[in-house]
Amino acid sequence: MSDEDKIILEDLIHIYKGVVETVALRGVDLTIKAGEKVCLVGKSGSGKSTLLHCLAGLIIPSSGKIFLDNEDITKLSINDLVKIRRDKIGLVYQNYNLVDFLTVDENIQLPMLAANKPKEERRKRVDDLLKEFDIERYKKSYPPYLSGGEKQRVAVGVALANNPSIILADEPTGNLDLENAQKIYELFENLTKDYNVTLVIATHDSNALKYVDRHVEMSELNSL
Ligand SMILES: Nc1ncnc2c1ncn2[C@@H]1O[C@H](COP(=O)(O)OP(=O)(O)OP(=O)(O)O)[C@@H](O)[C@H]1O
Ligand SMILES: [Mg+2]
């Protein structure tokens, strides 16, 4: 383990126990360096979202270790996991995960409120992000009235609000046209360049491959 290693997964196994038992991750080993941009590719159901949710501390894996900045987060309490998620991680959910009864402005402010950021800073950050994504006019709109692509851009704004050092993006361009998808990839690229942000994108979009340092096949990660 070196200081440059931002994310290390060791023999990560996750089994969903529902009506049917599904082994979603079967012994994944993966190391990602600080500032690296990695694309997770693989067919539907191959475990991409599960892997990102484990990294974000949303799922406690059945077994294995997840080191973020040399700290094994599988050992942390729920409260500590919430703090790590708030301070370190920006997660763009595959299904946006916006709060429908809050405006776009309020949705983006939520993670900053949780981190006790002052009002002026929150306001400025929201305005900057909305401008960057060309959705300023929807600031006071509610998510159900936005198009899929607009919601997706708001979701990226929520993920970036607290300037995370790790961005986990689950199909962040699934609903975007080529131009807007390119904007999101370029923004991610600049963040990794300017702030050494580490990026993990799960996607079916082969266009993403041009913007990352390497891609990882889920079928290879998941072969025992
Ligand atoms: N909450 C859950 N409960 C039970 N099984 C689940 C749950 N979430 C995912 N699974 C199962 O785990 C496996 C991996 O799912 P996951 O969502 O991680 O795949 P994915 O690669 O992200 O797929 P997609 O490309 O369709 O988004 C699938 O077989 C799925 O049915
Ligand atoms: Mg998925």
Side-chain angles (χ1 to χ4, degrees):
M1 192 182 297
S2 93
D3 279 351
E4 276 186 29
D5 293 339
K6 185 77 181 171
I7 300 171
I8 301 176
L9 305 180
E10 276 179 17
D11 202 12
L12 199 67
I13 295 178
H14 190 63
I15 303 169
Y16 288 106
K17 298 195 192 287
V19 182
V20 287
E21 210 170 80
T22 305
V23 185
L25 301 175
R26 45 185 79 228
V28 171
D29 291 308
L30 179 67
T31 300
I32 298 175
K33 302 221 168 291
E36 206 177 5
K37 291 170 283 179
V38 176
C39 207
L40 280 180
V41 293
K43 58 184 198 318
S44 181
S46 60
K48 302 180 296 296
S49 296
T50 306
L51 184 52
L52 292 186
H53 290 183
C54 287
L55 278 174
L58 289 172
I59 294 179
I60 297 173
S62 308
S63 72
K65 292 182 176 154
I66 303 171
F67 293 96
L68 300 184
D69 292 321
N70 298 329
E71 179 178 37
D72 182 3
I73 65 162
T74 63
K75 302 269 186 292
L76 297 179
S77 66
I78 298 291
N79 277 347
D80 287 340
L81 274 178
V82 168
K83 281 190 206 136
I84 297 251
R85 193 155 64 236
R86 182 191 68 194
D87 298 335
K88 220 175 252 209
I89 291 171
L91 175 64
V92 184
Y93 290 82
Q94 187 164 7
N95 58 0
Y96 320 122
N97 219 30
L98 299 171
V99 184
D100 284 349
F101 57 84
L102 296 180
T103 62
V104 164
D105 182 15
E106 290 161 343
N107 266 279
I108 299 178
Q109 284 205 43
L110 261 190
M112 294 186 272
L113 274 171
N116 290 319
K117 298 270 167 75
K119 197 173 186 175
E120 270 318 301
E121 187 181 333
R122 296 199 312 265
R123 281 198 180 143
K124 176 160 190 326
R125 186 78 179 133
V126 169
D127 289 343
D128 288 350
L129 286 164
L130 292 179
K131 193 158 175 227
E132 179 95 43
F133 298 142
D134 211 8
I135 44 174
E136 296 125 297
R137 61 204 198 90
Y138 300 118
K139 186 172 172 179
K140 297 292 168 204
S141 301
Y142 291 86
Y145 301 102
L146 301 179
S147 75
E150 287 155 0
K151 279 190 261 205
Q152 195 137 43
R153 282 174 278 167
V154 178
V156 176
V158 174
L160 297 182
N162 277 335
N163 296 305
S165 64
I166 300 175
I167 297 173
L168 307 171
D170 203 349
E171 298 285 357
T173 58
N175 276 298
L176 297 181
D177 53 70
L178 221 58
E179 190 188 328
N180 277 305
Q182 192 169 331
K183 260 195 197 166
I184 299 274
Y185 292 135
E186 281 169 0
L187 178 83
F188 286 160
E189 200 172 35
N190 290 337
L191 287 172
T192 55
K193 210 161 56 200
D194 299 342
Y195 303 102
N196 209 34
V197 166
T198 307
L199 174 69
V200 188
I201 309 181
T203 187
H204 294 283
D205 179 7
S206 54
N207 281 316
L209 299 180
K210 322 196 261 275
Y211 298 93
V212 294
D213 301 312
R214 64 181 165 118
H215 69 279
V216 182
E217 264 289 343
M218 278 311 291
S219 59
E220 283 168 27
L221 285 183
N222 253 340
S223 61
L224 279 174

